[in-house]
Amino acid sequence: MNSVKFGAGLGLAAAFSISAAPALADEGMWTYDNFPLAKVNQDYGLKLDQRWLDRMQGASVRLTTGCSASLVSGTGLVFTNHHCVVECVQDLSSGDKDFVKDGFLTATRDEEKKCPGMQAEILASITDVTKDIQAAGAGKTGQDFVRARETAMAAAEKAGCGDDANVRCQVVSLYRGGQFKLYKYRKYADVRLVFAPEFATAFFGGDPDNFNFPRFNLDVGFVRLYENGKPAVTPTHLSWVSRAPQEGEATFVSGNPGSTNRLMTVSQLETLRDLTIPVGQLQRSEIRGRLAQFGQESAEHKRIATDPLFGIENSFKVFYGQQSALNDKAFMDAKRAQEAELKAKVAADPKLTAEIGDPWGDIAKAQDAYANNYLRYRQIEGGATYSNLYYYAQTLVRAAEERAKPNAERLAEYADTRLPLVEKKVLDAKPVDAELEEVYLAFWLSKTREYLTTDDAAVKTLLGKESPEGLAKRAVAGSKLGDPAARKALWDGGLEAIKASDDPMIQLVLRNEPAARAVRKVWETEVQAPTDSAAGRVARAKFAAYGDAVYPDATFSLRLSYGKVAGWSYRGVTVPATTNFAGLYDRATGAEPYRLAPRWVEAQAKVTPTTVYNFVTTNDIIGGNSGSPVVNAKGEVLGAAFDGNIHSLGGAFGYDGSINRTVVVATSAATEALSKVYGRTALVKELTGK
Amino acid sequence: MNSVKFGAGLGLAAAFSISAAPALADEGMWTYDNFPLAKVNQDYGLKLDQRWLDRMQGASVRLTTGCSASLVSGTGLVFTNHHCVVECVQDLSSGDKDFVKDGFLTATRDEEKKCPGMQAEILASITDVTKDIQAAGAGKTGQDFVRARETAMAAAEKAGCGDDANVRCQVVSLYRGGQFKLYKYRKYADVRLVFAPEFATAFFGGDPDNFNFPRFNLDVGFVRLYENGKPAVTPTHLSWVSRAPQEGEATFVSGNPGSTNRLMTVSQLETLRDLTIPVGQLQRSEIRGRLAQFGQESAEHKRIATDPLFGIENSFKVFYGQQSALNDKAFMDAKRAQEAELKAKVAADPKLTAEIGDPWGDIAKAQDAYANNYLRYRQIEGGATYSNLYYYAQTLVRAAEERAKPNAERLAEYADTRLPLVEKKVLDAKPVDAELEEVYLAFWLSKTREYLTTDDAAVKTLLGKESPEGLAKRAVAGSKLGDPAARKALWDGGLEAIKASDDPMIQLVLRNEPAARAVRKVWETEVQAPTDSAAGRVARAKFAAYGDAVYPDATFSLRLSYGKVAGWSYRGVTVPATTNFAGLYDRATGAEPYRLAPRWVEAQAKVTPTTVYNFVTTNDIIGGNSGSPVVNAKGEVLGAAFDGNIHSLGGAFGYDGSINRTVVVATSAATEALSKVYGRTALVKELTGK
């Protein structure tokens, strides 16, 4: 789940101020090669240096499941959020053993269990490849432009990493195509679960509190990196501290913010506002309702629906906040003014004007193509969101088709450098819940028919004479793709095996494939190519106008943000920076989601009520930063970021340091809980040395 | 259900042109006292006169369930849509007898069954009371303004109808408060179900086709008005014809369009666009998902969820279309231009300016109060949408509180003239499905907590220490309000009985009552009063600028629209005006919702394939018009309106005669089906004389 959770009542308005470049105090998700070290040292009276930065970078972990994390011991122990490992906890559970409900506790290392599909990556180096990528696209348009740049990126990745199975190279587009950097990672494909608390503890207050602060969540999870079947040796790691964070203490968040749209043009924001987000929210709301009801049907249904429902509700809130920001007139007016200012600077520079043309106009034009093709692209090429079986089938079919081509001619996501992770995700064993799969597939088919109509050729091809429910039932019941061996046979068998397969899910995907590829072609030609080309030119204008004291939009690549421990005031209400264990016990009503796990009821007399539980900082983060270490100037980890407050809801589009807050679960709470509630002696010793 | 169904894929853009006043050809939902008779006679080469209008008015029926209908025999037989009687069909069904699935067929009159809560009303006269109502509000503001006008309306209704139990008087606000008219109706409280086809026949193609034309729906229902236990004598009625409608034939739709917002100011439309509709759609999507999944759980769940799910999906599409219209830049620009033109005309007239001030500014200011209070007003005062038990409890509590006050001091909906229908709706026997009630109540409680937060005082009062699910279960299980006798005891017992009641649903409503009344007061003071006052002044500006060649927004009161039988062309595709039975059989796949009812499979050889089934006309209608007779110049009923095409989706805000279409089920199809598929000899004889 690629998301920080953001909180408070949907009724409260979010407030925004939009920074003009350069960034305001505490604003920015900075790349490690452009961190404003001097400014931060001056603002906070610190003496941070490159060594400090290097250590931070070396201890920062990216999880391919969409989260961030940090190394906290020399033997591969990784600290992250519960909600970053809950899918793994779910995968390791069954009807008999519900680790989501009861928590996953290990006493010794041989109890640690591999998380399906999870890979950990640590950034080793950054290299500028901007010229190569931009040169590849120069003079080209449409799909040629897209393919040429993708081919150049794949080549750069190959050149950077070769065939070394221990590293991963990835070209990252920064400033919406203004720069391209090659990020080289040390990778760990064997990641094992060490500790996860009960869902009721990690997500106390559930969806209703998911917008709020004060909060009381042990949103903590531990995994361990393994190499050759043994715990990895990781000399570079952060120091664990058990003391509470101090008000005003400088904090650094090192992690992988997933996606922001702060550099988008106004016409792009309008498309998000009027089309992309609303359609997503409507579909999300409906599947949310289906899962909520599904979970009411039996204890087993509740067990299997809890984790996906949590993910959907979390996304719903994130986008609800984004929509509110975009519906805010003052916000959009500020964006318009900002854009007008930049345009005016360009207009005053004839050479620059000649060089970049009118990228804003080009992007605005591409919005028509976007609007005309979005629903088809979303439904037909996007496929059955949430369904694992569909994902397996689609990936197996595409991978077989693409691997049969030369590397340079493939769809980007199947280039040689990308295949190892694709293969891992498809082949790792993972439970598949047939009943949920049916819900997901029927939902996708029914929405596709609803949005494209019964008479649409692609819909007719998908459904034939079946109903969405009937086809979903048949395809799920008949599919063998839940079995990793069946997937491996098809992966290894390639295109021939795929074509010969009578698996109904494979056949469904094959049937849909021509329409999916057709709309993808239109999308790349009419939307992606002109947008990417123009966005690069907007970035050029921005660099010309403001220099490099700007940070790029988030792209789920490593960033560092700075700030401090601080509460906030809004409309006369002052919110303190920390909560403690006493507050947890006060808030517990006994009814879900305010019901304590039994261990916590039993431990009430043992824990210290004043232990700091959750706290807030001014760091600028967003979804994907979940699990990021919150570190002080000494390199001590004070907690893991797990949420944002209500005012950061619109963080996708802007940041206001006076009220935007990162929500953190404190290491003080984790130490106390591991020791007194869960009795995890070995783990506490590994963390604290005691 | 107060809705015309509107059709075609959600992906297709609706097109709009907005008429400046006076209205374009075929545009308008005209009141019977301002119908442009001369213009229509000239445009269509007809000689319609007042007698013709009187007959149309006398044969037009309003159903209090939110639909329109027409008298088609001298013995009280009423023709309407299946979807206007399906709630009644559902109410008469049980686990053993599913009339929704199998159809409700009577052979003799003693098989006709009373529809709970349904009342039929025929407009007898219209009287202008504008001066009285406006005078009552003059010089007042806030809640005083609202109450004074409501009191004046109640007084006008009382004066018009006295204590005559056979009539109903209703003051209708026209032109958003520009006029007030007293509508006096002959009322029939005993309405019995005569005929309804199978759901699969009435709603063939289901939700996916609910936007489309060509269509193939026998969306037909018959009820009969009863007086003193006998069929009513109704000499004024329309002539039934079994011949097909002719291309170009002039058509008149006489019915009760529910609500349009064509005269709203731009700031009001923006609030709809950014707040009211989005929140409604998100909640609607989620409850839709819950019901869809609920219906998958068992055959009985499917049976009880089918009708409500249909209603929710229908509303979803209507508002999806409205949202698309409001997101359309060209559309909003046109609205802005229109408003600027009217403002300019006012500015050029100093006397008028002095008289009306700046109503647009006043309304814009009220939008802030709207935005600040809407969610609380919606959740706390609005209560548990869809739940019958909550509706009963809320109405019993409010009615008891209000009836204890003098008539002039009551909330408008409990004035003496309104009480008979309130009482009928509360006391009529009607099945209550406990499991569905639980879904509705838990949903409302959970959304209220989500939108207002756990820490909100009203939410705390509602939930106490319970979860939404726990409270819903307890309140539904413990409530006796499903029993009409229990409701009657509380209705008759008044405030004392209510206060003494230990019914958990009554207690829930009582607990919520202070917060509900508080937010209603804020709403009336800060939103309703300034808006109503200003809207009346906008109307005055409009009359001054354009005279009376304008029609008022729809208000679920009787209107007449004119047009003709005609297909349309759009983006190079020409859609013919009619469909026939052959098309139905072509479209049937055998899978829901394209599965024919068994009777239709059996009858295929008997029915004439060329029989016209559904057709389209240029009439300007909207939700609430469902069931309206579509009549030719001779007073022959050609069909019943049941839907709009895709382009009428934004009909709430504008009309474009070149592409907006009314969708009608033809009397030709009804006659053929009644005779050859259903064998309803007596009914056919009553309709056709043969």
Side-chain angles (χ1 to χ4, degrees):
Chain A
M1 185 174 326
N2 186 354
S3 51
V4 170
K5 298 180 278 111
F6 285 111
L10 297 180
L12 299 179
F16 306 94
S17 78
I18 312 165
S19 64
L24 297 171
D26 295 1
E27 178 179 348
M29 303 167 183
W30 300 89
T31 51
Y32 265 80
D33 59 355
N34 190 33
F35 186 75
L37 205 54
K39 179 181 190 306
V40 172
N41 279 334
Q42 191 180 335
D43 287 1
Y44 282 87
L46 301 173
K47 290 177 181 168
L48 305 178
D49 56 16
Q50 188 59 43
R51 259 186 71 190
W52 183 89
L53 281 178
D54 290 344
R55 182 187 172 202
M56 287 289 284
Q57 177 179 323
S60 299
V61 178
R62 180 171 76 166
L63 300 176
T64 51
T65 44
C67 274
S68 301
S70 59
L71 279 162
V72 287
S73 90
T75 47
L77 187 65
V78 168
F79 176 43
T80 186
N81 291 150
H82 176 272
H83 80 266
C84 293
V85 299
V86 65
E87 191 177 340
C88 170
V89 181
Q90 179 87 10
D91 289 345
L92 298 177
S93 299
S94 65
D96 301 328
K97 282 189 184 173
D98 187 353
F99 297 122
V100 177
K101 181 162 169 277
D102 301 328
F104 182 89
L105 277 54
T106 56
T108 58
R109 291 195 183 162
D110 58 0
E111 292 169 19
E112 296 172 4
K113 292 268 178 304
K114 193 173 166 181
C115 286
M118 192 185 280
Q119 178 167 296
E121 299 166 346
I122 297 171
L123 182 60
S125 66
I126 303 176
T127 317
D128 194 342
V129 295
T130 307
K131 279 187 186 155
D132 298 342
I133 311 303
Q134 287 184 344
K140 297 195 169 64
T141 59
Q143 229 183 1
D144 288 347
F145 172 86
V146 173
R147 284 283 168 280
R149 302 225 303 191
E150 282 176 355
T151 301
M153 287 189 229
E157 290 171 0
K158 189 103 182 177
C161 279
D163 292 322
D164 187 343
N166 290 316
V167 293
R168 178 182 176 192
C169 280
Q170 195 177 22
V171 172
V172 181
S173 166
L174 298 168
Y175 305 95
R176 307 206 153 260
Q179 287 182 356
F180 294 87
K181 299 274 174 99
L182 180 70
Y183 277 51
K184 184 171 177 175
Y185 298 90
R186 174 69 172 91
K187 80 177 195 193
Y188 296 87
D190 184 353
V191 180
R192 302 191 193 175
L193 188 62
V194 175
F195 173 83
E198 311 87 347
F199 189 82
T201 302
F203 200 42
F204 180 82
D207 179 66
D209 274 8
N210 196 12
F211 257 66
N212 279 317
F213 196 82
R215 286 287 280 287
F216 308 89
N217 294 67
L218 196 72
D219 198 346
V220 156
F222 288 94
V223 293
R224 191 184 303 281
L225 312 184
Y226 276 73
E227 271 185 303
N228 307 317
K230 288 189 181 142
V233 178
T234 50
T236 302
H237 62 85
L238 301 173
S239 319
W240 185 269
V241 286
S242 303
R243 71 158 176 86
Q246 302 303 304
E247 185 99 22
E249 188 169 4
T251 51
F252 300 86
V253 175
S254 179
N256 303 275
S259 171
T260 55
N261 302 316
R262 295 182 188 176
L263 304 180
M264 271 191 172
T265 67
V266 170
S267 69
Q268 288 179 294
L269 294 177
E270 287 171 343
T271 300
L272 282 186
R273 179 192 67 192
D274 298 339
L275 176 60
T276 324
I277 295 178
V279 167
Q281 287 290 75
L282 292 176
Q283 291 203 17
R284 208 168 278 123
S285 293
E286 187 176 339
I287 191 71
R288 176 188 188 180
R290 291 195 187 206
L291 285 199
Q293 185 60 32
F294 179 89
Q296 295 286 313
E297 289 163 9
S298 69
E300 176 61 5
H301 278 196
K302 174 146 194 148
R303 184 185 76 76
I304 61 178
T306 294
D307 170 39
L309 183 57
F310 155 73
I312 289 165
E313 290 183 336
N314 191 47
S315 297
F316 175 83
K317 289 221 171 151
V318 169
F319 286 106
Y320 191 95
Q322 292 195 10
Q323 182 82 57
S324 301
L326 295 173
N327 281 348
D328 184 302
K329 238 183 225 174
F331 172 81
M332 286 298 272
D333 284 347
K335 281 283 182 190
R336 276 189 199 98
Q338 221 177 48
E339 191 164 298
E341 180 189 304
L342 182 57
K343 280 184 186 175
K345 282 178 191 278
V346 171
D349 180 344
K351 194 172 155 250
L352 186 60
T353 302
E355 199 186 316
I356 68 167
D358 176 19
W360 297 274
D362 294 345
I363 288 179
K365 237 178 77 186
Q367 301 314 301
D368 289 336
Y370 190 119
N372 288 336
N373 294 289
Y374 176 67
L375 291 176
R376 177 171 306 275
Y377 181 66
R378 183 189 207 284
Q379 295 300 127
I380 297 293
E381 168 67 359
T385 326
Y386 313 115
S387 162
N388 283 311
L389 290 178
Y390 190 91
Y391 166 76
Y392 289 143
Q394 190 183 37
T395 310
L396 287 165
V397 165
R398 279 271 164 96
E401 291 167 346
E402 295 299 307
R403 281 149 68 217
K405 302 174 188 170
N407 192 35
E409 290 171 23
R410 294 183 200 159
L411 295 175
E413 62 270 32
Y414 297 98
D416 276 336
T417 49
R418 318 272 169 91
L419 278 176
L421 185 55
V422 172
E423 184 176 357
K424 175 180 169 58
K425 285 192 172 172
V426 169
L427 299 191
D428 271 11
K430 194 177 154 76
V432 169
D433 299 304
E435 287 179 291
L436 267 185
E437 290 287 328
E438 243 188 82
V439 171
Y440 296 144
L441 199 64
F443 178 71
W444 169 63
L445 291 166
S446 115
K447 291 306 106 176
T448 302
R449 182 175 66 183
E450 178 175 334
Y451 280 81
L452 304 181
T453 81
T454 296
D455 298 305
D456 180 82
V459 173
K460 282 186 176 169
T461 302
L462 265 180
L463 285 175
K465 295 211 159 199
E466 291 181 285
S467 67
E469 295 74 24
L471 174 52
K473 203 179 186 72
R474 182 174 68 78
V476 171
S479 179
K480 303 271 184 298
L481 299 183
D483 176 7
R487 300 199 294 271
K488 179 141 180 48
L490 287 169
W491 180 272
D492 293 343
L495 204 47
E496 212 168 317
I498 291 287
K499 283 183 177 162
S501 170
D502 61 354
D503 192 289
M505 201 65 77
I506 294 285
Q507 291 181 335
L508 176 69
V509 166
L510 278 173
R511 213 153 67 222
N512 186 49
E513 191 64 356
R517 285 189 179 260
V519 70
R520 178 160 173 166
K521 184 174 175 178
V522 172
W523 190 260
E524 289 180 346
T525 307
E526 298 179 20
V527 182
Q528 192 184 335
T531 304
D532 286 358
S533 156
R537 287 176 281 135
V538 171
R540 226 176 303 167
K542 219 150 204 170
F543 292 141
Y546 306 110
D548 72 344
V550 291
Y551 58 92
D553 262 327
T555 52
F556 199 49
S557 57
L558 192 63
R559 305 295 176 87
L560 186 58
S561 85
Y562 63 96
K564 61 174 182 289
V565 177
W568 77 95
S569 294
Y570 183 67
R571 292 189 177 167
V573 179
T574 296
V575 183
T578 62
T579 65
N580 61 28
F581 280 176
L584 169 73
Y585 288 102
D586 280 351
R587 199 168 178 82
T589 61
E592 258 189 34
Y594 299 100
R595 186 189 291 154
L596 294 170
R599 278 189 198 94
W600 283 80
V601 176
E602 288 157 24
Q604 184 164 7
K606 283 187 277 179
V607 300
T608 312
T610 52
T611 304
V612 167
Y613 200 172
N614 294 169
F615 66 100
V616 287
T617 73
T618 61
N619 295 79
D620 185 9
I621 67 168
I622 202 139
N625 263 121
S626 277
S628 298
V630 179
V631 186
N632 65 13
K634 291 191 233 165
E636 293 169 337
V637 57
L638 299 170
F642 74 95
D643 206 351
N645 71 343
I646 181 181
H647 306 292
S648 61
L649 276 170
F653 312 110
Y655 170 83
D656 181 348
S658 70
I659 48 174
N660 279 34
R661 291 295 176 272
T662 288
V663 181
V664 190
V665 53
T667 45
S668 54
T671 313
E672 172 104 349
L674 286 171
S675 161
K676 297 195 184 158
V677 182
Y678 298 98
R680 295 303 97 190
T681 324
L683 184 55
V684 172
K685 180 137 203 273
E686 184 174 359
L687 288 167
T688 65
K690 287 180 241 173
Chain B
M1 185 174 328
N2 186 355
S3 50
V4 169
K5 296 179 281 112
F6 285 110
L10 298 180
L12 298 179
F16 305 94
S17 78
I18 311 166
S19 63
L24 297 171
D26 294 1
E27 177 180 348
M29 304 166 182
W30 300 90
T31 52
Y32 266 80
D33 58 357
N34 190 32
F35 187 75
L37 205 54
K39 179 181 190 311
V40 172
N41 278 334
Q42 191 181 335
D43 287 1
Y44 281 88
L46 300 173
K47 291 179 181 168
L48 305 178
D49 55 16
Q50 188 59 42
R51 258 186 70 190
W52 183 88
L53 282 178
D54 290 344
R55 182 187 172 203
M56 287 289 282
Q57 178 180 322
S60 299
V61 177
R62 179 169 78 166
L63 300 176
T64 51
T65 44
C67 274
S68 302
S70 59
L71 279 162
V72 286
S73 90
T75 46
L77 188 64
V78 168
F79 176 44
T80 184
N81 290 151
H82 176 272
H83 79 265
C84 293
V85 300
V86 65
E87 191 177 340
C88 170
V89 181
Q90 179 86 9
D91 288 344
L92 298 177
S93 297
S94 64
D96 301 328
K97 280 190 183 172
D98 187 353
F99 296 122
V100 177
K101 181 161 170 278
D102 301 328
F104 182 90
L105 277 55
T106 56
T108 58
R109 292 194 183 162
D110 57 1
E111 292 169 18
E112 296 171 4
K113 292 269 178 305
K114 192 173 167 181
C115 286
M118 192 185 281
Q119 178 168 297
E121 299 165 345
I122 297 172
L123 182 59
S125 67
I126 302 175
T127 317
D128 194 340
V129 294
T130 307
K131 278 186 188 158
D132 298 342
I133 311 303
Q134 287 183 343
K140 297 195 170 65
T141 59
Q143 230 183 0
D144 288 346
F145 172 85
V146 173
R147 283 284 169 279
R149 302 227 302 193
E150 281 175 358
T151 302
M153 288 189 227
E157 290 171 359
K158 189 102 181 180
C161 279
D163 293 322
D164 188 343
N166 291 316
V167 292
R168 177 181 177 193
C169 280
Q170 194 176 23
V171 172
V172 181
S173 166
L174 299 167
Y175 303 96
R176 306 207 154 259
Q179 286 181 357
F180 293 88
K181 300 275 175 99
L182 180 71
Y183 277 51
K184 183 170 178 176
Y185 297 91
R186 173 70 172 90
K187 80 177 196 194
Y188 296 87
D190 183 353
V191 180
R192 303 191 191 175
L193 188 62
V194 175
F195 173 84
E198 311 87 348
F199 190 81
T201 303
F203 200 43
F204 180 82
D207 179 66
D209 275 8
N210 196 13
F211 257 65
N212 281 317
F213 196 83
R215 286 287 282 285
F216 307 91
N217 294 65
L218 196 71
D219 198 346
V220 156
F222 288 95
V223 293
R224 191 183 304 281
L225 312 185
Y226 277 73
E227 272 184 302
N228 306 317
K230 288 189 181 142
V233 178
T234 50
T236 302
H237 63 85
L238 301 172
S239 319
W240 185 270
V241 287
S242 303
R243 70 158 176 87
Q246 302 303 305
E247 185 99 20
E249 188 169 3
T251 50
F252 301 86
V253 175
S254 180
N256 304 275
S259 172
T260 56
N261 302 317
R262 296 181 188 176
L263 305 180
M264 270 191 174
T265 67
V266 170
S267 68
Q268 289 179 295
L269 295 176
E270 286 172 343
T271 301
L272 282 186
R273 179 192 68 192
D274 297 340
L275 177 61
T276 325
I277 295 178
V279 168
Q281 286 292 76
L282 292 176
Q283 291 205 18
R284 206 169 277 122
S285 292
E286 187 176 339
I287 191 71
R288 177 187 186 180
R290 291 193 185 206
L291 284 198
Q293 185 60 31
F294 179 90
Q296 296 286 312
E297 289 163 9
S298 70
E300 176 61 4
H301 278 196
K302 176 149 190 143
R303 184 185 76 75
I304 62 178
T306 294
D307 170 39
L309 183 57
F310 155 74
I312 289 165
E313 290 182 337
N314 191 47
S315 296
F316 175 84
K317 290 221 170 150
V318 169
F319 287 106
Y320 191 95
Q322 292 195 9
Q323 182 82 59
S324 301
L326 295 174
N327 281 348
D328 185 302
K329 239 183 227 175
F331 172 81
M332 286 299 271
D333 285 347
K335 279 283 182 190
R336 276 189 200 98
Q338 221 177 48
E339 191 164 297
E341 182 188 303
L342 183 56
K343 279 183 188 177
K345 281 179 193 275
V346 171
D349 180 344
K351 193 170 154 254
L352 187 59
T353 303
E355 198 186 317
I356 68 167
D358 176 18
W360 297 275
D362 294 345
I363 288 178
K365 238 179 77 187
Q367 301 313 301
D368 290 335
Y370 190 119
N372 288 336
N373 295 289
Y374 176 67
L375 291 176
R376 177 172 306 276
Y377 181 66
R378 182 188 207 283
Q379 296 300 127
I380 296 292
E381 168 67 359
T385 326
Y386 313 118
S387 162
N388 283 311
L389 290 179
Y390 191 90
Y391 166 76
Y392 289 143
Q394 190 183 37
T395 310
L396 286 167
V397 166
R398 280 271 163 96
E401 290 167 346
E402 294 299 307
R403 280 151 68 219
K405 301 175 188 170
N407 192 36
E409 291 170 23
R410 293 183 200 159
L411 295 174
E413 62 269 34
Y414 297 98
D416 276 337
T417 48
R418 318 272 168 90
L419 279 176
L421 185 55
V422 172
E423 183 176 357
K424 175 180 169 59
K425 285 191 172 172
V426 169
L427 300 191
D428 271 12
K430 194 176 157 76
V432 168
D433 298 304
E435 287 179 292
L436 267 184
E437 290 288 327
E438 243 187 82
V439 172
Y440 295 145
L441 199 63
F443 178 70
W444 169 63
L445 289 167
S446 114
K447 290 307 106 176
T448 301
R449 182 175 66 182
E450 178 174 334
Y451 281 81
L452 304 182
T453 80
T454 296
D455 298 306
D456 180 84
V459 172
K460 282 186 176 171
T461 302
L462 265 180
L463 285 175
K465 295 211 156 199
E466 292 181 285
S467 67
E469 296 73 25
L471 173 53
K473 203 180 186 73
R474 182 175 67 79
V476 170
S479 179
K480 304 269 183 300
L481 299 183
D483 175 6
R487 300 199 295 271
K488 181 144 178 44
L490 287 170
W491 180 272
D492 293 343
L495 203 48
E496 212 168 318
I498 292 287
K499 283 182 176 165
S501 170
D502 62 355
D503 192 290
M505 201 65 78
I506 293 284
Q507 291 180 335
L508 176 69
V509 165
L510 278 174
R511 213 153 68 222
N512 187 49
E513 191 65 354
R517 285 191 179 257
V519 69
R520 177 158 173 170
K521 183 174 176 178
V522 171
W523 190 260
E524 289 181 346
T525 306
E526 298 180 19
V527 182
Q528 192 185 335
T531 304
D532 286 358
S533 156
R537 286 176 281 137
V538 171
R540 227 176 303 166
K542 218 150 204 168
F543 292 141
Y546 306 111
D548 72 344
V550 290
Y551 58 92
D553 262 328
T555 51
F556 198 49
S557 56
L558 191 63
R559 306 294 177 87
L560 186 59
S561 86
Y562 64 96
K564 59 175 183 287
V565 177
W568 77 96
S569 294
Y570 184 67
R571 291 188 176 169
V573 179
T574 296
V575 182
T578 62
T579 67
N580 62 27
F581 281 175
L584 169 73
Y585 288 103
D586 280 353
R587 199 167 179 79
T589 62
E592 258 188 34
Y594 299 99
R595 184 189 292 153
L596 294 170
R599 279 190 197 92
W600 283 79
V601 177
E602 288 156 24
Q604 185 164 5
K606 283 187 279 179
V607 300
T608 312
T610 52
T611 304
V612 168
Y613 200 171
N614 293 168
F615 65 99
V616 286
T617 73
T618 62
N619 295 79
D620 184 9
I621 67 167
I622 202 135
N625 263 121
S626 277
S628 297
V630 179
V631 187
N632 66 13
K634 289 191 234 165
E636 293 170 336
V637 57
L638 298 169
F642 74 95
D643 206 350
N645 71 343
I646 181 181
H647 306 291
S648 60
L649 276 170
F653 313 111
Y655 170 85
D656 180 349
S658 70
I659 49 174
N660 280 33
R661 291 295 177 273
T662 289
V663 181
V664 190
V665 52
T667 45
S668 55
T671 313
E672 174 102 349
L674 286 171
S675 160
K676 296 193 184 160
V677 181
Y678 298 98
R680 296 301 96 189
T681 325
L683 185 54
V684 172
K685 179 137 205 274
E686 184 174 357
L687 288 167
T688 64
K690 288 181 238 167

